[in-house]
Amino acid sequence: MKPAPFDYAAPASVGEAVALLDDPDRDTIVLAGGQSLLPMLHMRLARPELVVDLGRIPGLAGISERDGTLVFGAMTTKGAIERSALVRRRQPLLHAATQLVGHPQIRNRGTVGGSMAQADPAAEYPAVAVAMDAWMRTQGPRGERAIAAADFFVMSLTTALAPDELLIEVGIPALSEEAGWAFTELSRRRGDYAMAGTAVTVRLDADARFSDVRIVVSGVGSVPTRMAPAEEMLRGEHPDAALYHRAGDAVRDAIRDPLVDIHASGDYRRHLAGVLAERGIADAVARATPQTGTS
């Protein structure tokens, strides 16, 4: 199937792009890497009147570090993130998640901003963003604002972005050297969207007890969600396999209304989330180094 007819614009600045979006009488959609949008256009799941291509706007791509946070221009490709030595060293959770995204061709075109703005429940980047307390910087007719990842993802394919706003930057705090991390997921075929996934980070105190734990489940609910009961269960405890198993059960118990589709039932997704959380915690602990100077 071919897309329905639409007009096309390729603005040369963020201001021009925002001005094009600032038209309540016209159905406008933004094109970043196109890895999600183009299939939607071809299947006519999206029928915009105007497509605004961000590809010719200078300065929207790039990776830098500011005060312990890795900052990504919204048009930075996942391929660039995968190849970045800075990301591999300072944010290995994001690097590991990137390697699970689709195939090399998709990573070379898909963008960090596009993934966040698309807000697919099974996508890897939103899960990392929630686990790491990331932020999104947007620009619209009323100026700029920063939105915490926990507030950015509203529901499946829906974010806190206003119709006339652009996502400009994504900030993801770096992981400390002693932190452990793991990104695990299961899909039917390599490159498919996962039926369930988990992003886990842990820190151990000087007594090798859990001092901080983040467990985020993706692909199971409408948004990536932190598993607070499982996190609380682990804090202050010594790592062991029985504890990981109980945490996996706590993850399953916390999932009330799992997604159901042709790929997996709700019960299967709930089961997977617990299994992947258990594995993720074990892998993260194996990468963690107990902190020094604390008791």
Side-chain angles (χ1 to χ4, degrees):
M1 186 178 292
K2 294 183 179 180
F6 59 81
D7 293 331
Y8 171 85
S13 69
V14 170
E16 287 183 31
V18 169
L20 289 167
L21 296 177
D22 189 21
D23 183 352
D25 297 323
R26 196 175 201 188
D27 184 12
T28 304
I29 200 164
V30 170
L31 171 64
Q35 299 307 287
S36 297
L37 177 60
L38 290 182
M40 292 174 67
L41 290 173
H42 282 286
M43 290 186 287
R44 300 201 176 191
L45 297 174
R47 300 170 65 101
E49 297 173 89
L50 173 66
V51 172
V52 178
D53 186 350
L54 305 183
R56 298 183 186 178
I57 300 177
L60 277 186
I63 305 170
S64 61
E65 184 171 1
R66 303 176 197 162
D67 300 323
T69 295
L70 298 190
V71 179
F72 303 89
M75 290 293 286
T76 305
T77 67
K78 296 166 185 174
I81 292 172
E82 182 179 20
R83 294 185 290 271
S84 169
L86 176 63
V87 174
R88 188 181 300 110
R89 177 171 55 88
R90 297 287 283 149
Q91 188 36 263
L93 178 67
L94 177 66
H95 186 262
T98 302
Q99 293 179 305
L100 295 172
V101 176
H103 301 283
Q105 298 93 327
I106 291 173
R107 297 195 291 273
N108 284 335
R109 290 291 303 174
T111 64
V112 60
S115 182
M116 299 299 187
Q118 178 70 9
D120 191 292
E124 292 82 2
Y125 277 19
V128 173
V130 172
M132 293 304 307
D133 290 333
W135 49 260
M136 318 290 166
R137 185 168 70 88
T138 71
Q139 184 168 325
R142 293 160 296 283
E144 296 184 1
R145 61 175 178 146
I147 308 172
D151 301 321
F152 186 78
F153 303 106
V154 176
M155 59 183 295
S156 178
L157 307 180
T158 304
T159 72
L161 273 173
D164 55 2
E165 280 185 309
L166 283 179
L167 178 58
I168 303 301
E169 283 184 340
V170 177
I172 302 179
L175 273 168
S176 61
E177 292 184 1
E178 68 270 14
W181 54 271
F183 196 99
T184 60
E185 66 178 31
L186 182 67
S187 57
R188 291 190 176 274
R189 298 176 301 176
R190 171 74 180 180
D192 285 359
Y193 274 121
M195 294 177 285
T198 58
V200 178
T201 66
V202 305
R203 295 185 71 179
L204 305 177
D205 64 20
D207 295 323
R209 297 177 185 269
F210 288 104
S211 61
D212 183 69
V213 185
R214 308 284 182 94
I215 303 170
V216 172
V217 169
S218 61
V220 176
S222 63
V223 295
T225 305
R226 283 186 63 172
M227 298 286 103
E231 295 174 354
E232 199 59 40
M233 174 186 295
L234 295 175
R235 289 192 187 97
E237 301 291 334
H238 282 295
D240 67 60
L243 182 63
Y244 307 159
H245 184 71
R246 293 199 300 274
D249 286 339
V251 166
R252 280 186 280 268
D253 290 342
I255 298 170
R256 302 297 184 188
D257 189 22
L259 296 175
V260 178
D261 59 23
I262 62 172
H263 302 295
S265 68
D267 286 343
Y268 185 56
R269 279 195 162 91
R270 182 186 289 112
H271 170 73
L272 277 182
V275 171
L276 295 175
E278 185 176 344
R279 293 177 183 175
I281 295 164
D283 289 347
V285 168
R287 294 185 174 107
T289 302
Q291 296 172 270
T292 59
T294 61
S295 59

